[in-house]
Amino acid sequence: MSESKAQIMLVDDHPMMRQGMAMLINLEPDMEVIAEAGDGEEALALLKKKNHIDIVLLDVTLKTISGFEVIKTIHVYNPELPVLFVSMHDEAIYAERALRAGARGYVMKQEPGEVLVSAIRTVLQGNVYLSEKMHVKLLNRIVTGASEPEPLINSLTPSEFEVLHLIGSGHSSQEIADLLKRSIKTIETHRFNIRTKLNLRDSADLIRFATRWISEEQQ
């Protein structure tokens, strides 16, 4: 193992995805994967054992705790450790929230492998990686002074945020439970909490709000 190579940790609950990313990364002369975790709790336990990791590649949706909760805990123990989110979720919805959570970049899994490698190098150099589309969107938001469609949305927990996103994408509670690997009771609790925090009267209001929010964010 060469000390000149960047030491990378992968956190994703799909073994085949981790395997594919590891093969891609290990082909590069300046980086290698030295640790893998299938959920947030396993990732945090591994981080405590590893002497040196240069960057964590982290998924948003994990089996136990959300990637947003994982990054929060990571930065309690090691504020300087860079985290790059690699997710299937639309960057238009999640990238800005990821940066606010302390991530140094966001890459969608649909991107080609060379984009992921470039993003890793960018973050390792101390910079922030976002797609050109997201750079333009955030710069426009800064220039125009625009804010999120509903400021109260910032009060949502990471799990509630994920549920709101999936509601807006047209998923039922059962489908969301299956996607997030949570019980239907947990999802219904999240739905109730979202309605309370966003001052929405009922499920119909929640669906309308979520659908409109998704549409506006993706513009």
Side-chain angles (χ1 to χ4, degrees):
M1 185 181 295
S2 170
E3 293 183 359
S4 65
K5 291 186 177 183
Q7 311 287 282
I8 298 172
M9 180 179 191
L10 304 180
V11 186
D12 193 293
D13 61 0
H14 293 91
M16 288 182 65
M17 177 60 67
R18 293 201 309 272
Q19 183 181 30
M21 286 195 293
M23 291 177 62
L24 175 73
I25 291 167
N26 289 335
L27 288 173
E28 300 300 316
D30 56 343
M31 58 182 74
E32 63 183 339
V33 174
I34 64 163
E36 297 183 29
D39 62 49
E41 292 173 351
E42 183 184 359
L44 295 172
L46 277 172
L47 281 170
K48 292 177 182 178
K49 295 178 182 178
K50 293 293 181 181
N51 292 327
H52 182 72
I53 290 178
D54 294 302
I55 184 172
V56 176
L57 272 55
L58 178 64
D59 196 3
V60 170
T61 301
L62 299 168
K63 290 180 181 178
T64 52
I65 55 178
S66 164
F68 287 111
E69 297 292 349
V70 174
I71 191 174
K72 184 189 302 182
T73 305
I74 286 174
H75 286 159
V76 168
Y77 294 104
N78 189 347
E80 303 304 317
L81 179 60
V83 175
L84 173 66
F85 272 108
V86 183
S87 175
M88 60 175 279
H89 291 308
D90 190 341
E91 64 178 358
I93 308 296
Y94 280 82
E96 186 174 356
R97 191 175 181 94
L99 295 183
R100 288 202 305 266
R104 300 293 297 174
Y106 194 97
V107 179
M108 292 182 65
K109 290 180 178 178
Q110 296 92 322
E111 294 285 1
E114 56 264 30
V115 172
L116 175 61
V117 171
S118 175
I120 294 171
R121 289 203 176 101
T122 297
V123 173
L124 286 171
Q125 291 166 1
N127 300 311
V128 172
Y129 178 85
L130 290 173
S131 70
E132 184 62 31
K133 178 181 177 181
M134 279 308 302
H135 271 294
V136 171
K137 180 177 180 178
L138 294 183
L139 283 174
N140 285 338
R141 182 167 290 177
I142 291 170
V143 170
T144 61
S147 60
E148 289 185 296
E150 172 54 75
L152 289 175
I153 208 168
N154 291 328
S155 68
L156 300 183
T157 68
S159 294
E160 291 163 357
F161 186 84
E162 284 187 275
V163 170
L164 180 66
H165 171 219
L166 292 170
I167 292 170
S169 299
H171 294 285
S172 67
S173 290
Q174 185 59 63
E175 290 170 340
I176 295 171
D178 293 340
L179 286 167
L180 299 183
K181 303 175 182 66
R182 307 286 191 271
S183 70
I184 189 71
K185 182 178 179 180
T186 297
I187 300 306
E188 290 298 338
T189 298
H190 286 323
R191 290 178 70 115
F192 175 80
N193 290 338
I194 293 167
R195 282 168 44 201
T196 300
K197 291 180 178 180
L198 301 184
N199 297 322
L200 302 171
R201 291 176 301 175
D202 51 31
S203 293
D205 271 359
L206 173 58
I207 292 171
R208 280 192 291 270
F209 175 92
T211 303
R212 186 182 74 246
W213 170 65
I214 288 283
S215 176
E216 290 175 350
E217 281 296 279
Q218 290 177 333
Q219 289 178 1

